[in-house]
Amino acid sequence: MVEQRPPVTPRRIARRRLIASIVALLLVGAVALGVVAGVRSRGSAAPPPPPVRPPPPKPLRIVFPEGFTRQDMAERVTAVDEIALRKRGVRPKLSASRYLKATSGKTRMAGFGRTRRAFEGFLFPATYDFFKDTTSKQLVRDQLDTFAEKWAGVNLRYARKKNLTQYDVLIIASMVEKETQARAERPLVAAVIYNRLHLRMPLGIDATIRYALNVPPTQSLRESQLHNSTPYNTRLHRGLPPTPIANPGLASIEAAAHPAKVDYVYFVRKPDKIHHFFTSSYTAFRNYADTHGY
């Protein structure tokens, strides 16, 4: 039996054409959406990652111990330069000659009046980071800035009552630094200096002679050196030396600003070469010195 198809009428033809048109439109739309999406996808693609930058250079480091003079610091610069070249393959701009040049002459420090003063005493001893291109002037500026920061926290009320200036306190601090190894004795040594100034006695601090004549502490002072007429000879000249004899740390500065309340005017190093015997009696001082062969 043969299936009879319905007759093709104009209505059926129109219906088929409508369906075909709709399908065609849908296909065209899908293609268009795909193209646009592709374009948008390409246009909004994430930018390539930035190039990997090398890590910042590792800083070099220099340590200036308390009590170093500017000459000592220049020698330390040379030593650190050699270490940087040997261990890191870096040749810093810092040099002893440039450091000495940067610290020659005089500088004006805030709080110390308008007078320009020698750099000695203001080159704060501490650990400083620097880089290959750091200049000696920049290092010196760091030291001066650190000094100003530390000094701003020191109470100078007691020193002012004793008619001492800020610069006087700094000079006393430098002598305390060079004469004292035991931290607890710093206020005692400062007290001896204060008491001798008050009594108008020569200070008798041999470290001032060593500074002027460049005699290391490992060498004994000769009789001729003890009688040298340098203004730094505090055996011969009353009062304070003209400038600090070193760059003191904060502990010595604090001791110079706040000496112990004792009446000592003599001290002599004990046999351990670290601590001191203190007394207000010249007889006790001489007996101790003679007993120990000084």
Side-chain angles (χ1 to χ4, degrees), residues 87-161:
K87 293 189 174 182
R88 299 269 297 273
V90 174
R91 191 182 298 277
K93 280 188 176 180
L94 295 180
S95 72
S97 61
R98 294 191 185 100
Y99 185 87
L100 289 174
K101 183 178 180 181
T103 56
S104 63
K106 297 183 178 181
T107 186
R108 184 179 292 115
M109 293 296 295
F112 284 79
R114 294 186 175 183
T115 303
R116 299 179 67 87
R117 304 185 186 278
F119 281 79
E120 197 81 274
F122 297 111
L123 301 169
F124 197 80
T127 299
Y128 295 91
D129 288 344
F130 69 97
F131 297 91
K132 175 183 177 182
D133 294 329
T134 299
T135 65
S136 295
K137 284 186 177 181
Q138 290 172 328
L139 176 58
V140 171
R141 175 47 55 190
D142 285 346
Q143 290 184 270
L144 297 179
D145 289 345
T146 303
F147 173 88
E149 177 187 346
K150 301 294 185 182
W151 186 266
V154 179
N155 186 338
L156 297 168
R157 188 177 305 167
Y158 181 82
R160 291 193 188 100
K161 289 181 179 179

Side-chain angles (χ1 to χ4, degrees), residues 174-188:
S174 73
M175 291 189 287
V176 170
E177 192 71 73
K178 297 301 286 186
E179 285 288 328
T180 317
Q181 294 187 48
R183 187 184 186 96
E185 292 186 356
R186 290 171 180 173
L188 298 175

Side-chain angles (χ1 to χ4, degrees), residues 236-271:
L236 298 180
H237 307 292
R238 291 187 179 91
L240 298 171
T243 70
I245 61 170
N247 295 280
L250 186 58
S252 291
I253 292 173
E254 290 285 2
H258 307 284
K261 303 300 191 297
V262 293
D263 61 355
Y264 300 148
V265 288
Y266 302 99
F267 66 91
V268 61
R269 196 176 299 277
K270 291 182 177 180

Side-chain angles (χ1 to χ4, degrees), residues 143-287:
Q143 290 184 270
L144 297 179
D145 289 345
T146 303
F147 173 88
E149 177 187 346
K150 301 294 185 182
W151 186 266
V154 179
N155 186 338
L156 297 168
R157 188 177 305 167
Y158 181 82
R160 291 193 188 100
K161 289 181 179 179
K162 299 299 180 180
N163 297 317
L164 296 175
T165 68
Q166 295 201 63
Y167 197 55
D168 292 339
V169 173
L170 183 61
I171 293 174
I172 293 172
S174 73
M175 291 189 287
V176 170
E177 192 71 73
K178 297 301 286 186
E179 285 288 328
T180 317
Q181 294 187 48
R183 187 184 186 96
E185 292 186 356
R186 290 171 180 173
L188 298 175
V189 172
V192 171
I193 295 173
Y194 269 69
N195 292 338
R196 283 183 165 245
L197 288 173
H198 176 71
L199 296 172
R200 299 188 60 79
M201 295 173 62
L203 298 181
I205 302 292
D206 287 346
T208 62
I209 303 176
R210 293 183 182 278
Y211 175 77
L213 305 182
N214 196 28
V215 180
T218 54
Q219 295 180 12
S220 298
L221 287 169
R222 299 192 301 271
E223 196 67 25
S224 60
Q225 293 169 329
L226 295 175
H227 290 88
N228 190 287
S229 61
T230 172
Y232 288 87
N233 190 336
T234 53
R235 287 189 176 214
L236 298 180
H237 307 292
R238 291 187 179 91
L240 298 171
T243 70
I245 61 170
N247 295 280
L250 186 58
S252 291
I253 292 173
E254 290 285 2
H258 307 284
K261 303 300 191 297
V262 293
D263 61 355
Y264 300 148
V265 288
Y266 302 99
F267 66 91
V268 61
R269 196 176 299 277
K270 291 182 177 180
D272 66 3
K273 297 183 179 181
I274 296 176
H275 298 89
H276 292 88
F277 169 76
F278 294 88
T279 181
S280 59
S281 166
Y282 178 75
T283 301
F285 163 74
R286 274 294 6 135
N287 287 341

